[in-house]
Amino acid sequence: MSSQAKSQGRSQAASRENARRSAGEHDLDKRCIDTIRTLAIDAVEKANSGHAGTPMGLAPVAYTLWQQFLRYDPSDPRWPNRDRFVLSAGHASMLLYALLHLAAMRRVEDGRVTDTPAVSLDDIKNFRQLDSVTPGHPEYGHTTGVETTTGPLGQGCGNSVGMAIASRWLAARYNRPNATVFDFDVYTICSDGDMMEGLASEAASLAGHLRLSNLCWIYDSNTVTIEGHTDLAMSEDVATRFKAYHWNVLRLQDANDTAGFARAVEIFRGTKDRPTLIIVDSIIGYGAPHKQNTAAAHSDALGEDEVRLAKRFYGWPDDAQFLVPDGVYDAFRNGIGRRGRALREEWEKTFTGYKTIDAPAALEVELLLQGQLPQQWDRDLPTFPADEKGLATRESSGKVLGAIAKTVPWLIGGSGDLAPSTKTAFPDTDALEADDPGGRVMHFGVREHAMGAIVNGLVLSKLRAFGATFLTFSDYMRPAIRLAALMKLPVFHVFTHDSIGLGEDGPTHQPIEQLLALRAIPNIVVLRPADANEVRETYKVVMALTDRPACLVLSRQKLPTFDRSRYASAVGVARGAYVMAGAKDRAPAVILIASGSEVHLCISAYEQLAQEGIAARVVSMPSWELFEQQDEAYRDDILPARISARVAVEAGSVIGWDRYVGPGGMIIGMHRFGGSAPGTDLMRKFGFVAERVVQAAKDQIAKHQSIENAGKHSR
């Protein structure tokens, strides 16, 4: 045989071997993809509840992303520079749980990585069951590997923008020419529902403006929602919309085209001037012959017969349940597992060297990753002298916030186009913009919905971040605030223009029920300080929080700065309520309770009552939540049960104050919307004047003395 024939023979043999290897790899990839699909099917079927349709349709895309691209080490989910994977389409939670299980994600407990699986096969079998780590929608902090709590559509999209901003901010501050500490990308799977939610549109608009090239949204365009096909309510061209937002838009016409999806991700990774939207045309419930591409695949179990037929379509054993075939675990171990570990170990070497290159910066990184503050972060907080004219608490807040910004470098935040009004722009600080990703003053624009979700994403990335707007617009942000409380994030928001005292803007801008609405959220701290020094103490409370969000509620109008040599120290703010005036060792005839701008009315009433020989006590109560945390002895010391004559004063809804004044107490509050007029006129019109507080106090004393006397006579 000639050498040429031998060479051709070897070439043909090599081609056949490569073809066999390629076919084997293809078969293994298909087996992995179908494992994701069938685990989702079986979990939903066993629970008789949940959503298998999207995992069935989108499994090839998610598998390809995790196996080929996601920089993530399942053996150490805490790795700071991991890529973020956000499932904004949280109803498809089984897609994520299947990936976490197959990738052998380790569980994190008390900040430590354990040898326990984050999601075991038994956990998948307990999908949507009581106390399982596989709830109906992914929950941050509850299930390792879940980067944010999703389910309310659009929120995950907003979170992902915050994460992408954080990655660029961290890179701008901490990366050095020979040491890249932060450069993680953010991948988000979003649904038709996400595309409909205004929040996602707001977030996408800002992301395009900021040119977040490290952000990739993968839009699962299966065109089916709970009510039916999306043409019932949606007809716009999403691709054109996102191009107008200055996004790079790619389209994959078949979710099963894994090679095509891989090319799209490569284009994203090569794009340096804008975020990327990959529109993936998929079939919801793919493989279920009677339910695919229908609303029935969206939120219902398939049923035994349809499950059997779907598994036959995949070439799966009909009667197999929760099957993970041979080779699947190894495939993930040799894919994302091996690649992720190598990337993480390389990063750790880099960071070790970084500590010698720039030790102060490395210390900052370690502190922020641990959720700690720099030593003496509060050393420059201002103390405000007594002043009858005083300051609006929004003004004193701006001064305190500016002082904190100087000592906590990773504090960033901004306002919904209201920084001149909310006083939240740090002095001598750059704005965060596309060409200055390391700026610290954010311009969210008039996008309150997105602002709340973006701030959550920033804090999920370990920055200390806040948003700011008028209190009445907290309604726009309530879902994001609620999720921050659920996730135990130390987010904070600055809400100014807190009552009818804001004046001429009128009832559209004057909050009535918003304080009550915020207080109703579990695991949150709402603080409404009474003067500048209470503002200072409020920020001490807020910055010390590690496991819940806070809302600062501040006035537009000036409030007197109290003489603290005459009245109690403002440090009592930390306990939620404290006796501001009136000796604690002398039983008062009446207790006057207030928050914020109404405390000075109670002080004025207290002084007038004292002139008449009537002993009163003034309790400043900036935070119900902090007060309720105190032990019973402290609470009874502040509000003794034996003293029934009580008056509460707050320029908001009266609902809830009865818990502090009792069924026989008096509440001076708002029972209707406000009006358009100067704030002082409105306060007078609605009874927020010292004279009314004095009269209410006297009425309470007389009422309860009468009740007491009647009781004595009856005995």
Side-chain angles (χ1 to χ4, degrees):
M1 181 181 294
S2 68
S3 59
Q4 182 178 3
K6 288 180 181 179
S7 176
Q8 288 177 342
R10 285 194 298 269
S11 177
Q12 290 170 355
S15 295
R16 286 193 297 272
E17 176 59 27
N18 289 337
R20 282 194 297 271
R21 186 179 297 112
S22 177
E25 290 173 354
H26 173 77
D27 289 344
L28 180 57
D29 287 338
K30 183 179 184 304
R31 200 182 317 154
C32 292
I33 291 166
D34 290 341
T35 301
I36 295 169
R37 288 168 163 155
T38 54
L39 285 176
I41 289 171
D42 289 340
V44 171
E45 196 67 22
K46 185 174 185 293
N48 195 29
S49 172
H51 180 106
T54 292
M56 294 166 71
L58 211 60
V61 165
Y63 171 76
T64 303
L65 177 65
W66 279 55
Q67 281 289 75
Q68 295 187 32
F69 298 101
L70 200 68
R71 294 178 297 173
Y72 198 113
D73 180 8
S75 70
D76 189 356
R78 305 168 306 166
W79 175 30
N81 201 39
R82 67 190 181 278
D83 285 346
R84 269 49 168 189
F85 175 79
V86 176
L87 185 68
S88 191
H91 51 275
S93 57
M94 266 310 307
L95 177 66
L96 178 55
Y97 298 149
L99 289 164
L100 295 176
H101 171 66
L102 297 174
M105 190 75 66
R106 299 293 90 186
R107 183 174 299 181
V108 174
E109 294 179 350
D110 299 323
R112 296 182 301 102
V113 179
T114 71
D115 290 331
T116 305
V119 177
S120 68
L121 201 57
D122 284 339
D123 291 326
I124 288 178
K125 293 176 182 178
N126 284 322
F127 177 57
R128 288 189 165 222
Q129 303 309 299
L130 184 65
D131 297 329
S132 74
V133 297
T134 49
H137 294 88
E139 296 179 23
Y140 171 80
H142 183 72
T143 308
T144 302
V146 173
E147 298 285 6
T148 181
T149 298
T150 56
L153 292 174
Q155 291 289 334
C157 293
N159 296 160
S160 70
V161 172
M163 293 172 181
I165 292 170
S167 178
R168 283 163 46 99
W169 189 92
L170 291 163
R173 181 166 181 86
Y174 296 115
N175 287 357
R176 300 293 181 264
N178 297 319
T180 297
V181 182
F182 293 104
D183 64 347
F184 61 84
D185 292 328
V186 184
Y187 297 92
T188 307
I189 288 182
C190 45
S191 63
D192 292 300
D194 287 293
M195 290 295 109
M196 295 183 199
E197 284 286 358
L199 164 57
S201 296
E202 289 182 13
S205 175
L206 185 60
H209 170 75
L210 293 175
R211 301 200 292 270
L212 300 179
S213 59
N214 58 343
L215 178 64
C216 179
W217 285 6
I218 301 162
Y219 167 27
D220 175 31
S221 179
N222 62 49
T223 72
V224 173
T225 58
I226 291 175
E227 291 185 354
H229 282 272
T230 53
D231 58 10
L232 289 170
M234 181 182 182
S235 55
E236 78 263 20
D237 185 337
V238 172
T240 299
R241 174 154 63 96
F242 272 73
K243 288 176 183 176
Y245 290 149
H246 304 295
W247 284 56
N248 181 34
V249 179
L250 308 171
R251 185 150 212 147
L252 183 69
Q253 294 183 331
D254 181 0
N256 293 300
D257 180 4
T258 55
F261 177 71
R263 288 193 294 272
V265 176
E266 292 287 7
I267 292 171
F268 154 66
R269 295 175 72 171
T271 300
K272 303 302 181 185
D273 64 345
R274 63 192 60 203
T276 294
L277 177 72
I278 304 175
I279 303 175
V280 178
D281 294 330
S282 72
I283 298 174
I284 193 170
Y286 176 78
H290 303 106
K291 293 191 176 181
Q292 66 178 13
N293 199 34
T294 71
H298 191 284
S299 53
D300 299 326
L302 296 177
E304 291 184 11
D305 291 341
E306 194 75 358
V307 167
R308 191 174 297 109
L309 292 172
K311 288 181 177 178
R312 285 180 188 172
F313 177 82
Y314 302 144
W316 213 254
D318 288 8
D319 57 351
Q321 292 187 339
F322 300 101
L323 173 65
V324 180
D326 292 344
V328 171
Y329 290 126
D330 287 341
F332 277 87
R333 187 179 302 113
N334 293 326
I336 186 174
R338 179 176 294 173
R339 187 184 70 257
R341 180 185 290 270
L343 289 167
R344 192 254 303 166
E345 290 176 346
E346 180 182 353
W347 180 90
E348 288 177 343
K349 291 178 182 177
T350 298
F351 192 68
T352 298
Y354 182 81
K355 292 179 181 179
T356 62
I357 295 171
D358 194 336
L363 177 60
E364 275 192 23
V365 170
E366 290 175 336
L367 284 174
L368 76 88
L369 291 176
Q370 293 164 8
Q372 298 181 13
L373 296 170
Q375 289 185 353
Q376 297 184 318
W377 67 270
D378 56 352
R379 64 179 181 269
D380 295 328
L381 299 189
T383 299
F384 299 90
D387 182 358
E388 183 60 32
K389 292 183 179 179
L391 292 169
T393 50
R394 63 169 178 163
E395 294 278 0
S396 50
S397 167
K399 296 178 184 298
V400 176
L401 196 57
I404 296 172
K406 294 178 181 179
T407 57
V408 183
W410 52 92
L411 174 68
I412 73 171
S415 181
D417 193 49
L418 289 170
S421 295
T422 59
K423 311 299 180 184
T424 46
F426 310 146
D428 305 318
T429 305
D430 293 337
L432 189 153
E433 282 291 350
D435 296 325
D436 189 0
R440 296 172 63 196
V441 175
M442 293 197 63
H443 297 289
F444 288 102
V446 187
R447 301 186 183 97
E448 292 93 350
H449 298 79
M451 178 169 67
I454 290 169
V455 169
N456 285 352
L458 292 167
V459 175
L460 284 162
S461 305
K462 302 302 184 180
L463 301 182
R464 290 305 300 266
F466 67 89
T469 186
F470 295 168
L471 178 58
T472 193
F473 301 141
S474 64
D475 288 342
Y476 287 132
M477 302 171 60
R478 184 175 168 82
I481 296 171
R482 183 177 186 273
L483 286 173
L486 183 60
M487 290 188 276
K488 302 180 179 180
L489 300 181
V491 166
F492 70 92
H493 295 288
V494 177
F495 293 129
T496 67
H497 296 58
D498 68 344
S499 73
I500 58 172
L502 68 88
E504 292 86 345
D505 276 342
T508 60
H509 284 51
Q510 292 164 4
I512 303 298
E513 74 281 11
Q514 281 73 20
L515 263 173
L516 172 65
L518 291 172
R519 288 167 174 160
I521 300 173
N523 196 48
I524 194 170
V525 177
V526 181
L527 295 123
R528 189 172 183 242
D531 76 342
N533 288 307
E534 279 202 6
V535 168
R536 183 192 67 238
E537 298 304 319
T538 288
Y539 272 102
K540 287 184 180 180
V541 170
V542 168
M543 294 303 293
L545 294 175
T546 59
D547 61 355
R548 52 185 160 160
C551 296
L552 287 75
V553 180
L554 308 171
S555 74
R556 176 185 184 272
Q557 73 273 29
K558 290 184 178 181
L559 302 179
T561 303
F562 297 111
D563 182 350
R564 295 293 172 167
S565 67
R566 186 173 180 184
Y567 304 112
S569 168
V571 296
V573 166
R575 305 192 79 170
Y578 64 102
V579 176
M580 187 171 174
K584 290 171 62 176
D585 57 358
R586 179 185 174 193
V590 63
I591 301 176
L592 310 177
I593 317 167
S595 75
S597 54
E598 289 69 68
V599 171
H600 81 91
L601 299 179
C602 291
I603 288 292
S604 295
Y606 163 84
E607 298 291 359
Q608 292 181 41
L609 290 167
Q611 290 177 7
E612 298 180 33
I614 300 173
R617 170 181 291 184
V618 176
V619 172
S620 176
M621 186 177 281
S623 174
W624 291 7
E625 299 80 17
L626 293 177
F627 183 62
E628 293 299 329
Q629 275 182 210
Q630 308 308 310
D631 58 40
E632 185 178 357
Y634 180 81
R635 297 198 306 271
D636 190 59
D637 189 41
I638 302 302
L639 300 175
R642 66 185 181 278
I643 302 171
S644 300
R646 300 183 183 188
V647 180
V649 190
E650 187 172 71
S653 172
V654 300
I655 297 173
W657 275 107
D658 54 335
R659 73 195 299 183
Y660 298 117
V661 300
M666 175 67 179
I667 306 168
I668 300 174
M670 292 295 294
H671 299 268
R672 50 157 285 189
F673 294 115
S676 180
T680 52
D681 293 346
L682 290 171
M683 286 296 200
R684 189 177 304 110
K685 172 183 173 64
F686 288 101
F688 295 100
V689 290
E691 292 75 19
R692 187 181 180 199
V693 180
V694 168
Q695 188 58 55
K698 291 178 178 179
D699 291 345
Q700 278 287 295
I701 293 169
K703 174 182 176 179
H704 288 282
Q705 283 180 344
S706 176
I707 293 171
E708 184 179 337
N709 291 335
K712 290 178 180 178
H713 290 314
S714 67
R715 289 195 293 272

